[in-house]
Amino acid sequence: MSVSAPVAAPRAVRKAAAARAAGFAPRRQAPTSGALFSAAAPASKQVFMGKSLSAPSARQVAPGRRSVARAAIGDSLEEFLLTATPDPRLRQVLICLAEACRTIAYKVRTASCDKTACLNDFGDDQLAVDVLADKLLFEALRYSGVVASASSEEQSDVVPMGGPDDGFSVAFDPLDGSSIIDTNFSVGTIFGIWPGKELTGINGRGLAAGGVGIYGPRTTFVFAIDDGCHEFLLQDDGKWIHARETREIKEGKIFAPGNLRATFENPGYEKLVSHWIGEKYQLRYTGGMVPDVCQILVKGQGVFANAVSQSAPAKLRVLYEVAPIGHMIECAGGYTTDGSKSVLDIDIVTTVDRSQVCYGSKNEVARFEKLVGGKISQAALQDAKV
């Protein structure tokens, strides 16, 4: 009597079993109404958007060896994080941020873009969706249970989150580019995660992770821990699926020049822009920092620059924008500079410190340092801190 070979379980069933074995709760459908977070759940099993935030057990990493995160196309965010970091608390923070970005993406697609009467601490007009994104991110970090403190570009104060002092601190720009939402350009959330509770007296070298959520024709969650930069695409069922990995930024001819008003007083920046145009580079610039920088990661080439002058001072905050994105670019094999050194080496003295920047390939960043440098911009940088 012949015996039939056992039938392999469907891929979805095998992945679900693997997830349960790793400690993940089955994914639940996000609620359509009611609270986003369940505060009644125990700290170790809190629920956000109907999803258990219990962190899986850490995989063992051989002492002295660096864990290299590799993700296959189609891997879920949770599956990837198991190989990306042995720290379950860092996984928890990233999952909470991804869930918040998922909700923000929906709000961006459906929110009215009429301006409100409120202003942020820096005098910028806020849209209603800015305020909502800010609130969602603070709620996500608070209910993670592992974040000690957080600070938003919209408020600038460091706010206790209730987590342990040896947990993490998070700085974020809740909705960078909100002024171009009504034109239907892509906008995004920027975040940086540091170990401990301090968000001053640090620099970008200490980042545990940096990333962005991008809200455009597609919604993506892009971040770097310490090796490579990884993009996850939001599916219709609310699941994040690995879509891209970037480990090298090559030389190319795509440029995104910010703060062009500075060219009138900064001859080095004027020469740099003239070089790009004369060499027939392709201009790809929307005015939104997140998509304009992340195209470097998507294309694997290009340059983004934002230089300054006396009357066009630095606007980019080191804590909320410059350092987290710089971390992503350098982990992806690219280079960064403030005109004289890597942006990751800029000491963050206050939450409102600002800087000029250049991100991109090795030669493009070197060209920025040669032509623009850091000396011309010092007066403008001082004016920005007044």
Side-chain angles (χ1 to χ4, degrees):
M1 181 174 61
S2 61
V3 179
S4 300
V7 179
R11 184 171 184 265
V13 174
R14 298 198 305 272
K15 291 180 72 174
R20 287 194 296 272
F24 287 111
R27 185 175 185 85
R28 300 174 182 173
Q29 184 65 32
T32 57
S33 62
L36 295 178
F37 302 89
S38 172
S44 60
K45 292 186 177 181
Q46 292 176 356
V47 176
F48 171 43
M49 293 293 292
K51 178 180 179 181
S52 170
L53 296 182
S54 299
S57 300
R59 287 189 179 180
Q60 297 298 315
V61 179
R65 292 189 61 184
R66 182 183 183 187
S67 175
V68 178
R70 296 283 183 180
I73 297 299
D75 277 0
S76 70
L77 175 62
E78 293 86 352
E79 289 169 332
F80 168 77
L81 287 175
L82 279 173
T83 64
T85 173
D87 189 340
R89 296 187 298 180
L90 180 56
R91 295 199 291 266
Q92 183 111 330
V93 178
L94 286 164
I95 289 173
C96 284
L97 287 168
E99 292 299 309
C101 287
R102 179 160 65 96
T103 305
I104 293 170
Y106 172 77
K107 297 299 183 182
V108 167
R109 290 197 306 271
T110 59
S112 167
C113 289
D114 291 338
K115 291 192 175 183
T116 67
C118 60
L119 298 174
N120 66 13
D121 286 357
F122 302 101
D124 302 324
D125 286 337
Q126 284 185 289
L127 306 182
V129 71
D130 283 0
V131 180
L132 181 59
D134 199 57
K135 180 179 179 181
L136 282 167
L137 286 161
F138 271 119
E139 287 183 358
L141 297 174
R142 184 174 293 110
Y143 281 93
S144 74
V146 297
V147 176
S149 60
S151 181
S152 164
E153 188 188 39
E154 302 297 345
Q155 300 181 29
S156 77
D157 293 332
V158 178
V159 181
M161 290 287 103
D165 288 351
D166 63 349
F168 291 95
S169 54
V170 181
F172 59 87
D173 183 346
L175 202 59
D176 183 77
S178 58
S179 63
I180 60 175
I181 288 179
D182 53 357
T183 63
N184 212 22
F185 286 174
S186 295
V187 295
T189 295
I190 307 171
F191 63 86
I193 305 171
W194 278 267
K197 65 176 183 178
E198 302 298 334
L199 284 172
T200 56
I202 57 176
N203 63 29
R205 295 293 177 194
L207 277 160
V212 298
I214 308 175
Y215 318 120
R218 307 186 309 158
T219 298
T220 55
F221 186 67
V222 188
F223 66 93
I225 297 178
D226 64 359
D227 185 75
C229 194
H230 302 272
E231 175 186 302
F232 289 80
L233 177 65
L234 184 63
Q235 304 295 294
D236 288 341
D237 62 359
K239 189 175 183 179
W240 295 100
I241 297 298
H242 182 258
R244 190 189 316 275
E245 178 181 57
T246 305
R247 294 180 180 273
E248 183 181 12
I249 304 298
K250 300 179 180 179
E251 303 301 328
K253 289 193 172 183
I254 298 174
F255 76 117
N259 201 21
L260 283 175
R261 288 172 295 183
T263 59
F264 288 97
E265 298 176 325
N266 188 329
Y269 195 31
E270 182 183 18
K271 289 180 182 178
L272 182 59
V273 173
S274 296
H275 167 81
W276 290 329
I277 296 173
E279 293 297 319
K280 296 180 172 58
Y281 279 47
Q282 292 180 323
L283 175 64
R284 294 291 183 268
Y285 183 73
T286 68
M289 184 180 183
V290 172
D292 290 340
V293 172
C294 285
Q295 69 178 334
I296 297 173
L297 300 171
V298 173
K299 302 296 185 181
Q301 60 174 289
V303 58
F304 171 91
N306 191 299
V308 299
S309 70
Q310 186 70 39
S311 62
K315 297 182 68 176
L316 301 178
R317 285 86 173 185
V318 180
L319 179 65
Y320 307 107
E321 300 162 312
V322 174
I325 290 181
H327 178 79
M328 293 171 61
I329 293 293
E330 292 199 12
C331 284
Y335 292 78
T336 74
T337 187
D338 67 350
S340 59
K341 62 183 180 300
S342 165
V343 300
L344 300 185
D345 293 323
I346 301 174
D347 292 329
I348 301 172
V349 179
T350 73
T351 61
V352 298
D353 290 351
R354 312 181 193 200
S355 177
Q356 65 176 2
V357 300
C358 180
Y359 304 122
S361 62
K362 182 178 180 179
N363 290 345
E364 294 297 345
V365 170
R367 185 177 291 112
F368 182 93
E369 289 189 340
K370 178 181 179 181
L371 295 179
V372 179
K375 294 181 179 180
I376 295 176
S377 64
Q378 290 307 306
L381 291 172
Q382 290 301 319
D383 287 346
K385 294 180 180 180
V386 174

